[in-house]
């Protein structure tokens, strides 16, 4: 710079200095400063006033928004934020886990110490990075959210802390409004004041909605997510798995890997990308190292997704729904009692329905643990046997109405089944079979289906009560012939033994039960029907009886108005094994709340039904059913031997087949039949319906034995209580045997309750004479020729009125014949003289044998044979009507003699020629020898032929015996 330039700059500076130093300039500057300062103060003051006004307005607005929100105490908040649904769990016996009950949302509570640290850190890094620093809200986040809301910004960042999200989910609604947001902030501040950070985090981890599991069920809470997505517990989650779950809350159903059907989605990228975002935030916030981050980013999470998981309701449909139903019944009573009601109050249908609905909701939301009595291994084995059993029977056509088209169509209906296994001393239901295919038919045939129980009713309603009431003993005798019994409606009921046969004249109670004779059971029932025997069924848990059942004689054979379930029928039989005490069967052992409180524990309450002596005698009679009666075929089918006592049963027209049996430990029963009742009669795979059911029973018991032999096959037998004696009795009356009874061979021995043992002597049999006509026997009259009578015993009808004689159609039928009854005849079995002389006979001669037929007049009792006018033989009308003439020739005829001795005119005469003397010749004379050989040979052939003739007869008798045995085996209701 030159001097000239410097001079100009100096000159300019001097001028500026003089300007600022002049009084005028100073004065003007002073005035301007004052003005600017005043303006600045005004702006500051106005700003402060404006901010204060705005803050006041804002505060007032906030106060207005939350004015209706109550000031909640810690206990109130605790109740609200911990009030979340938790799925109830069900268990087999011995605390073996079964699964979760069906609910809209599956959740399982977990404590914070049982959650992976990776998962806790992932949630904080993703949802609330300042969680451990704030007091429930982050102001700048709220201001940012408010600004974005007012500016309608395209990017909306969340302004809620975990505490606020917890309040939104558990206390408030999802409504989008300033009022809800204001309440959320207020409550978040109070939550932070009352609860520790770990408590808040634990609750958040349990309430978050996290998509679906591998069964397609909606899930909430990290434990349900860990189990449902990866098949592990929340504490075992690795870093990548934790990040995946932590990313789900932003879009649960967008990021979840499963469809509603429980299948993996085709596109898993959204959830995987979200997982990587979570990992990035964890790294940014210092929760993981760079090495951990890189490794987790490359982790193949898809290999950890478990496949489709079958729900308990799919694998165990009958069991799951049965446990659910019974639990609801129990909880409804529990909740009603908590509200001050008593059990009797629930007889009000409206109130009952109200508490059933409440119990149903609680069961699905309150996380109960329900412990059942069902043995998992036995239950599984029984389902397997049922699935593979080949002998149920034919499918039959059934017309139904299609629920969609409302048109009728024909379907094939299979034979269905139900079975129940009960532990006697406790009443625990160990196992059951609800049916063959739940998808086809959902009815539980073990616990819900009502069917008539056929002859399985007899021990429960006839023999057990009859013995207990002192009206019966195993040796009691009654008629087993056609009878007519008034049914109370003015009509006559004529029970019959199945097949129409097996009419034995008289029968003991033991033989009647063993062979399932219906007529004796009906007559025995008539002896006690006026003593309300139905009350015994009610004590033993029958719940479907009607008023009409109490007076219906056919109830003795199982003809019920509504029917009975398999469970109830089997349960009743445990009474005999429990010395006469009924113990109600149960399936729910206990219910525990999520807090560990036992809110229900089953308590056994025995009900006295029979005396121990009556129970034992009924059991002892039912032993015969299994050992040699209608259920004898079960012995060869069972893989083990036990002290079984039981009863078979058949419904009317063969529509139901039953078998129930008990041993000292367990009672087990099965039923088969069609859902729409149809006849089961007819062979299938070579087996009649009764054996198909008995074999099924045996196969199920064998399966249970393979699992727990000690349970189903105890080494002890039923023990006979005191007060029982063995006594001989007469099979004609059940009284003490007389000399006549002993001579007739009709003495039997059986067990009696000591006080009920017979004390009176039998007077039913008297010495007497009788005549036989064909297979029938009649009392001889004083005029009857003795040559046609036989010495025997007369059955006095007046002495046997107690056997139900008044209902017997034909008293003469009481003496059936046979070896033991061959010399016995009833006093009412008489022949009346027709008042005229018998007509002459017609006879025939064949070789040396004269024969004739039974005289058409019914009062003829014998025949006389005459040779050359002299009587040579008297033949009873009950014998073979033939006479072989001797070697002497002559003229023969036959006459008929009636009951009073009148003799017919002779029949036509037949003549024979006397045999020539035998000529003996020398052995060298071959011709006579040949003749003798021929004759001897002919005689030998004749003998052989006679032997051969007897063989078909023996075969026939054998066949008849086998047929009789088969009829007996099939004699049901």
């Amino acid at each position: 710079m030159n001097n000239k330039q410097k001079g100009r700059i100096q000159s300019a500076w001097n001028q500026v200095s003089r300007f600022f130093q002049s009084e005028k300039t100073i004065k003007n500057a002073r005035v301007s400063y004052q003005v600017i300062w005043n303006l600045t103060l005004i702006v500051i003051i106005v700003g402060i006033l404006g901010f204060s006004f705005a803050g006041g307005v804002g505060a007032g607005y906030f106060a207005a928004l939350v004015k209706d929100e109550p000031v909640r105490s810690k206990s109130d908040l605790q109740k609200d934020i911990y009030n979340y649904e938790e799925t109830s769990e069900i268990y087999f016996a011995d605390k073996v886990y079964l699964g979760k009950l069906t609910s809209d949302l599956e959740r399982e509570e977990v404590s914070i110490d049982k959650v992976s640290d990776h998962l806790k850190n992932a949630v904080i890094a993703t949802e609330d990075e300042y969680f451990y620093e704030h007091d429930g809200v982050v102001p700048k986040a709220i201001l940012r959210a408010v600004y974005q809301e007012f500016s309608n910004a395209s990017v909306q960042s969340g302004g809620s802390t975990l505490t606020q999200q917890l309040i939104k989910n558990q206390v408030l609604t999802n409504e989008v409004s300033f009022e809800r947001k204001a309440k959320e902030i207020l409550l978040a501040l109070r939550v932070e004041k009352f609860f520790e950070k770990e408590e808040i985090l634990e609750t958040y981890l349990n309430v978050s909605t996290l998509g679906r599991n591998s069964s397609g069920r909606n899930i909430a809470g990290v434990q349900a997510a860990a189990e449902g997505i990866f098949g592990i517990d929340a504490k075992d989650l690795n870093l990548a798995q934790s990040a995946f779950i932590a990313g789900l809350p932003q879009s649960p159903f967008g990021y979840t890997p499963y469809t509603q059907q429980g299948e993996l989605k085709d596109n898993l990228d959204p959830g995987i990308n979200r997982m990587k975002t979570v990992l990035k935030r964890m790294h940014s916030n210092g929760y993981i190292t760079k090495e951990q981050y890189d490794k987790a980013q490359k982790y193949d999470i898809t290999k950890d997704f478990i496949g489709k998981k079958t729900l308990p309701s799919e694998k165990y449909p009958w069991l799951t729904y049965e446990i659910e139903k019974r639990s609801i019944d129990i909880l409804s009573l529990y909740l009603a009692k908590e509200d001050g009601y008593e059990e009797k109050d629930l007889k009000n249908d409206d109130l009952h329905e109200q508490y059933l609905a409440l119990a149903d909701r609680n069961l699905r939301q309150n996380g109960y643990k329900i412990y059942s009595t069902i043995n998992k291994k036995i239950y599984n084995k029984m389902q397997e046997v049922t699935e593979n059993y080949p002998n149920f029977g034919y499918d039959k056509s059934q017309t139904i109405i299609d629920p969609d088209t409302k048109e009728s169509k024909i379907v094939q209906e299979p034979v269905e089944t139900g079975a129940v296994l009960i532990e006697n001393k406790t009443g625990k239901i160990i196992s059951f079979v609800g049916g063959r295919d739940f998808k086809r038919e959902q009815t539980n045939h073990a616990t819900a289906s009502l069917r008539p129980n056929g002859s399985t009713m007899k021990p429960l309603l006839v023999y057990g009560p009859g013995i207990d009431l002192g009206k019966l003993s195993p040796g009691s005798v009654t008629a087993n012939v056609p009878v007519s019994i008034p049914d109370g409606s003015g009509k006559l009921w004529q029970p019959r033994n199945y097949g129409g046969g097996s009419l034995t004249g008289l029968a003991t109670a033991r033989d009647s039960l063993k062979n399932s004779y219906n007529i004796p059971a009906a007559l025995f029932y008539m002896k006690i029907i006026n003593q309300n025997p139905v009350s015994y069924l009610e004590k033993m848990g029958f719940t479907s009886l009607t008023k009409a059942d109490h007076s219906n004689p056919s109830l003795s054979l199982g003809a019920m108005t509504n029917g009975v379930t398999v469970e109830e029928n089997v349960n009743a039989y445990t009474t005999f094994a429990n010395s006469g005490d009924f113990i109600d069967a149960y399936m729910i052992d206990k219910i525990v709340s999520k807090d560990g409180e036992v809110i229900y524990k089953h308590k056994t309450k025995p009900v006295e039904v029979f005396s121990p002596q009556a129970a034992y005698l009924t059991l002892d009679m039912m032993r015969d059913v299994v050992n040699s009666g209608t259920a004898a075929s079960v012995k060869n089918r069972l893989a083990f031997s036990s002290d079984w006592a039981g009863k078979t049963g058949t419904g009317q027209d063969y529509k139901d087949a039953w078998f129930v049996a008990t041993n000292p430990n367990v009672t087990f029963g099965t039923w088969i039949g069609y859902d729409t009742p149809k006849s089961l009669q007819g062979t299938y795979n070579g087996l009649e319906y009764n054996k198909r059911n008995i074999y099924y029973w045996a196969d199920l018991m064998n399966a249970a034995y393979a699992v727990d032999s000690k349970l189903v096959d105890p080494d002890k037998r039923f023990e006979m209580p005191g007060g029982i004696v063995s006594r001989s009795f007469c099979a004609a009356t059940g009284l003490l045997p007389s000399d006549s009874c002993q001579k007739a061979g009709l003495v039997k021995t059986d067990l009696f309750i000591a006080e009920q043992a017979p004390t009176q002597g039998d007077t039913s049999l008297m010495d007497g004479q009788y005549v036989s006509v064909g297979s029938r026997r009649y009392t001889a009259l004083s005029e009857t020729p003795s040559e046609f009578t036989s010495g025997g015993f007369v059955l006095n009808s007046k002495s046997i009125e107690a056997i139900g004689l008044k209902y017997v159609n034909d008293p003469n039928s009481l003496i059936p014949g046979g070896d033991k009854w061959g010399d016995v005849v009833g006093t009412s079995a008489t022949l009346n003289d027709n008042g005229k002389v018998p007509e002459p006979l017609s006879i025939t001669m064949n070789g040396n044998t004269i024969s004739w037929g039974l005289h058409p007049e019914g009062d003829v009792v014998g025949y006389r044979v005459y040779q050359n006018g002299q009587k040579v033989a008297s033949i009873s009308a009950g014998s073979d009507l033939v006479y072989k003439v001797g070697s002497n020739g002559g003229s023969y005829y036959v006459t008929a003699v009636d009951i009073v001795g009148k003799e017919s005119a002779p029949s036509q005469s037949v003549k024979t020629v006397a045999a020539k003397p035998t000529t003996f010749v020398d052995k060298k004379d071959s011709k006579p020898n040949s003749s003798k050989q021929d004759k001897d040979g002919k005689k030998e052939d004749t003998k052989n032929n006679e032997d051969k003739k007897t063989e078909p007869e023996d075969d026939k008798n054998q066949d008849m015996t086998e047929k009789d045995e088969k009829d007996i085996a099939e004699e049901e209701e």
Side-chain angles (χ1 to χ4, degrees):
M1 181 182 296
N2 53 34
N3 294 328
K4 186 177 181 179
Q5 290 175 329
K6 290 181 179 180
R8 285 200 297 268
I9 291 173
Q10 184 65 42
S11 177
W13 172 255
N14 291 333
Q15 290 178 359
V16 172
S17 296
R18 284 195 298 267
F19 172 79
F20 281 103
Q21 292 176 0
S22 68
E23 292 184 6
K24 184 177 181 181
T25 300
I26 293 171
K27 182 179 180 180
N28 290 337
R30 189 180 295 114
V31 172
S32 297
Y33 170 77
Q34 292 295 329
V35 171
I36 293 172
W37 175 249
N38 289 334
L39 289 174
T40 301
L41 288 176
I42 292 172
V43 170
I44 291 172
I45 292 171
V46 169
I48 292 173
L49 291 174
F51 182 79
S52 299
F53 178 76
V57 171
Y61 182 59
F62 182 87
L65 291 175
V66 300
K67 64 180 177 64
D68 296 326
E69 176 63 25
V71 178
R72 300 174 189 251
S73 64
K74 180 179 179 180
S75 60
D76 290 337
L77 282 172
Q78 190 172 34
K79 182 178 180 181
D80 288 336
I81 65 175
Y82 284 100
N83 182 29
Y84 47 79
E85 295 181 15
E86 185 178 349
T87 312
S88 294
E89 298 176 336
I90 51 180
Y91 293 81
F92 289 103
D94 301 320
K95 299 182 180 179
V96 176
Y97 185 67
L98 195 164
K100 299 179 185 295
L101 284 178
T102 304
S103 63
D104 295 332
L105 184 68
E106 188 169 304
R107 186 200 315 269
E108 182 177 347
E109 186 176 3
V110 64
S111 60
I112 191 72
D113 60 319
K114 293 182 180 180
V115 177
S116 165
D117 288 338
H118 287 312
L119 180 54
K120 290 184 281 188
N121 294 335
V123 168
I124 293 171
T126 307
E127 298 295 328
D128 189 356
E129 59 182 310
Y130 301 111
F131 176 68
Y132 289 109
E133 300 171 16
H134 62 66
D135 293 322
V137 295
V138 178
K140 67 177 183 179
I142 295 175
L143 291 174
R144 182 175 65 248
V146 172
Y147 170 76
Q148 290 171 349
E149 177 69 25
F150 278 107
S151 64
N152 198 25
S154 58
V155 178
Q156 298 283 331
S157 59
S160 296
T161 62
L162 287 182
T163 313
Q164 289 175 266
Q165 292 182 50
L166 181 61
I167 292 298
K168 180 178 68 175
N169 291 334
Q170 293 300 101
V171 182
L172 303 175
T173 67
N174 289 325
E175 175 191 4
V176 179
S177 68
F178 287 114
E179 180 180 353
R180 199 271 301 161
K181 194 69 176 179
K183 291 179 180 179
E184 177 186 300
I185 293 170
L186 176 64
L187 292 173
L189 293 171
R190 292 189 68 78
V191 167
E192 290 279 347
K193 177 182 177 181
F194 292 134
F195 299 95
E196 299 295 331
K197 289 290 186 179
E198 293 298 288
E199 292 179 292
I200 297 170
L201 179 59
E202 178 182 275
T203 308
Y204 177 85
L205 293 173
N206 279 302
V207 302
S208 297
T209 301
L210 299 172
R212 300 188 190 93
N213 61 16
S214 61
S215 298
R217 301 272 291 279
N218 295 339
I219 54 176
V222 295
Q223 178 62 26
E227 288 181 348
I229 297 174
F230 300 115
I232 59 177
D233 289 327
K235 64 182 176 60
D236 299 321
L237 293 167
N238 62 31
L239 176 57
Q241 293 166 344
S242 298
F244 188 90
I245 291 177
L248 291 171
Q250 186 184 67
S251 180
F253 299 103
Y255 297 147
T256 184
Y258 297 107
T259 66
Q260 284 183 310
Q261 289 71 41
E263 299 171 350
L264 280 174
K265 292 179 178 178
D266 295 331
N267 182 14
L268 299 172
D269 289 342
I272 294 173
N273 292 335
R274 176 62 176 168
M275 175 194 74
K276 292 179 178 180
T277 300
V278 174
L279 289 169
K280 185 177 181 180
R281 292 183 180 178
M282 292 181 73
H283 178 245
S284 300
N285 285 278
Y287 287 110
I288 57 176
T289 65
K290 181 69 166 60
E291 182 182 357
Q292 289 176 306
Y293 170 71
D294 291 338
K295 184 178 179 180
Q297 283 281 344
K298 297 175 183 178
Y299 186 83
D300 182 10
I301 195 71
T302 60
K303 68 180 178 59
D304 294 343
F305 296 143
I306 59 176
K308 182 174 175 58
K309 187 177 181 181
T310 303
L311 293 170
S313 59
E314 295 172 341
K315 186 175 182 180
Y316 297 103
W318 278 298
L319 177 56
T320 302
Y321 288 119
E322 191 65 29
I323 291 176
E324 181 179 301
K325 176 181 177 296
R326 293 176 186 236
S327 298
I328 289 172
D329 289 339
I330 292 170
L331 283 174
S332 66
L333 180 58
Y334 168 76
L335 295 172
K337 287 183 176 180
E338 276 200 326
D339 290 344
Y341 292 103
E342 297 181 4
E343 186 172 358
K344 63 181 180 180
D345 297 325
L346 294 184
K347 293 181 179 180
N348 180 296
D349 290 341
D350 291 338
L351 188 64
H352 189 209
E353 288 298 323
Q354 174 185 333
Y355 276 98
L356 284 176
L358 183 60
D360 181 75
R361 187 175 68 201
N362 280 13
L363 184 67
R364 302 182 194 287
Q365 296 179 357
N366 286 4
Y368 295 110
K369 294 185 185 298
I370 302 164
Y371 297 91
S372 77
T373 61
I374 302 298
N375 182 301
K376 180 180 180 179
K377 291 182 178 179
I378 294 179
Y379 185 86
N380 286 340
K381 284 289 186 181
M382 285 191 170
Q383 311 315 307
E384 183 180 332
V385 168
T386 302
E387 184 178 352
N388 297 315
Y389 186 66
N391 300 319
F392 282 114
Y394 295 102
D395 294 354
K396 291 191 176 182
S397 299
Q398 177 65 36
T399 301
I400 65 169
I401 301 299
D402 190 295
D404 298 323
T405 65
K406 307 302 181 183
E407 296 180 354
S408 62
K409 65 176 183 180
I410 296 177
V411 298
Q412 293 300 307
E413 196 171 61
V415 175
E416 270 295 357
T417 187
V420 173
L421 175 64
I422 300 174
E423 185 178 53
N424 297 330
K425 63 182 179 181
T426 63
K428 291 179 181 178
I429 298 177
I430 304 299
S431 182
F432 70 90
V433 175
R436 294 177 62 188
D437 184 359
F438 185 82
K439 293 180 180 178
R440 188 199 71 84
E441 174 57 54
Q442 288 76 51
T443 301
N444 190 326
H445 299 89
T447 65
S449 181
L450 296 175
R451 302 296 287 243
N453 62 351
S455 289
T456 61
M457 181 67 89
K458 294 172 183 174
L460 304 174
L461 182 65
V462 180
Y463 296 103
I467 294 173
D468 192 65
L469 292 169
K471 299 297 183 181
L472 295 180
S473 290
S476 295
V477 177
T478 194
N480 185 24
V481 296
V483 296
S484 298
I485 299 173
D487 66 358
S489 65
K491 298 179 181 180
L492 291 177
W493 174 48
Q494 296 180 319
R496 61 184 181 85
N497 296 332
Y498 260 29
S502 301
L503 300 173
T504 60
L506 297 175
T508 64
R510 182 180 291 276
D511 287 340
S512 298
L513 183 60
K514 166 185 170 180
N515 299 309
S516 200
Y517 297 150
N518 288 339
I519 296 170
L523 292 177
F524 282 133
Y525 187 59
M526 294 309 295
K527 296 181 70 172
I528 62 173
I529 193 170
N530 292 328
Q531 292 179 265
N532 193 25
V534 177
S535 64
Y536 283 87
L537 297 181
E538 293 170 334
K539 289 180 183 178
M540 290 186 285
F542 277 52
T543 60
S544 300
L545 296 165
T546 66
K547 184 178 180 180
D549 288 333
H550 284 70
S551 58
N552 179 14
S554 63
L555 184 65
S556 59
L557 308 184
M560 306 175 68
T561 303
N562 296 319
V564 64
T565 66
V566 177
E567 179 187 341
E568 288 180 345
N569 207 31
V570 174
N571 195 187
Y573 270 73
T574 65
T575 309
F576 300 116
N578 287 324
S579 300
D581 287 346
F582 172 72
I583 296 177
D584 199 11
Y586 68 100
M587 193 180 297
I588 307 300
D589 185 52
K590 66 178 178 179
I591 299 177
V592 181
S593 72
K594 64 181 179 182
D595 299 325
E597 178 188 359
V598 178
I599 65 169
Y600 169 80
K601 181 71 174 74
H602 179 81
K603 294 181 180 179
T604 298
K605 299 178 181 178
V607 176
E608 185 178 341
V609 181
F610 304 112
S611 70
Q613 292 77 18
Y616 180 80
L617 290 182
T618 309
L619 274 175
D620 192 57
M621 293 166 65
M622 290 194 293
R623 279 172 168 158
D624 289 357
V625 175
V626 176
N627 292 331
S628 57
T630 58
S633 60
V634 76
K635 293 189 298 180
N636 294 330
R637 190 78 173 185
L638 274 177
F640 62 99
S641 176
S642 187
D643 188 13
W644 288 107
K647 185 68 189 77
T648 54
T650 303
Q652 187 175 12
D653 299 326
Y654 306 92
K655 292 175 181 177
D656 303 271
W658 294 80
F659 180 47
V660 185
T662 185
N663 70 24
N665 268 17
V666 296
T667 302
F668 183 54
T670 56
W671 162 89
I672 63 171
Y674 294 93
D675 282 322
T676 307
K678 303 176 184 65
S679 175
L680 292 162
Q681 194 176 21
T683 59
Y684 181 81
N685 290 339
L687 299 173
E688 255 293 353
Y689 72 95
N690 53 342
K691 281 192 176 180
R692 300 202 301 270
N693 183 50
I694 287 174
Y695 284 8
Y696 174 58
W697 184 98
D699 287 358
L700 290 174
M701 282 310 305
N702 287 339
Y705 175 77
V707 174
D708 192 341
S709 59
K710 291 184 179 179
L711 173 67
V712 301
D713 183 25
D715 54 9
K716 60 183 179 180
R717 292 175 58 83
F718 290 113
E719 296 182 4
M720 183 170 67
I724 293 178
V725 295
S726 177
R727 293 287 184 270
S728 295
F729 64 94
C730 184
T733 58
L735 301 177
L736 292 174
S738 61
D739 291 341
S740 296
C741 184
Q742 291 179 345
K743 291 178 183 178
L746 297 179
V747 177
K748 288 188 174 184
T749 301
D750 215 319
L751 301 175
F752 295 83
I753 296 176
E755 294 82 1
Q756 300 171 13
T759 56
Q760 293 182 335
D762 174 69
T763 60
S764 64
L765 293 176
M766 302 176 293
D767 292 341
Q769 298 290 314
Y770 68 89
V771 295
S772 298
V773 179
S775 61
R776 304 296 295 274
R777 296 182 296 278
Y778 302 93
T779 303
L781 304 179
S782 59
E783 302 95 328
T784 304
S786 60
E787 63 195 283
F788 301 116
T789 65
S790 298
F793 306 95
V794 176
L795 184 64
N796 186 351
S797 60
K798 290 184 179 180
S799 298
I800 59 172
E801 289 181 353
I803 68 170
L805 190 62
K806 65 180 179 179
Y807 301 115
V808 173
N809 296 341
D810 178 13
N812 292 333
S813 63
L814 290 172
I815 309 301
D819 293 340
K820 289 188 175 180
W821 292 91
D823 295 332
V824 180
V825 62
T827 55
S828 60
T830 58
L831 282 179
N832 294 318
D833 176 26
N834 63 9
K836 63 178 183 177
V837 176
E839 293 293 326
L841 287 169
S842 176
I843 62 176
T844 59
M845 184 75 178
N846 184 10
N848 66 341
T849 301
I850 301 172
S851 62
W852 62 96
L854 195 65
H855 198 282
E857 296 178 19
D859 62 344
V860 172
V861 296
Y863 305 90
R864 291 170 179 157
V865 182
Y866 292 86
Q867 179 188 20
N868 299 326
Q870 298 295 318
K871 184 175 75 170
V872 294
S874 296
I875 297 175
S876 168
S879 304
D880 293 334
L881 303 184
V882 296
Y883 179 76
K884 292 185 178 182
V885 300
S887 59
N888 297 325
S891 175
Y892 291 86
Y893 65 84
V894 181
T895 62
V897 183
D898 69 11
I899 188 70
V900 294
K902 293 192 292 291
E903 185 175 11
S904 72
S907 66
Q908 80 273 24
S909 296
V910 293
K911 294 184 179 181
T912 62
V913 179
K916 293 181 180 182
T918 303
T919 304
F920 294 96
V921 296
D922 190 85
K923 291 181 180 180
K924 295 180 181 178
D925 189 347
S926 61
K927 188 172 182 180
N929 286 340
S930 298
S931 298
K932 183 175 184 299
Q933 290 172 357
D934 290 342
K935 185 176 181 182
D936 290 342
K938 184 176 181 181
K939 287 183 178 179
E940 185 68 21
D941 289 343
T942 301
K943 182 178 183 299
N944 290 337
N945 288 337
E946 289 174 354
D947 289 342
K948 291 177 181 178
K949 286 180 181 179
T950 63
E951 289 176 5
E953 186 66 25
D954 290 341
D955 290 342
K956 179 180 179 183
N957 289 339
Q958 181 65 26
D959 289 342
M960 289 178 65
T961 300
E962 292 175 353
K963 180 178 184 299
D964 290 344
E965 290 177 352
K966 181 180 179 183
D967 287 342
I968 288 174
E970 293 178 0
E971 287 281 314
E972 298 299 335
E973 190 204 82

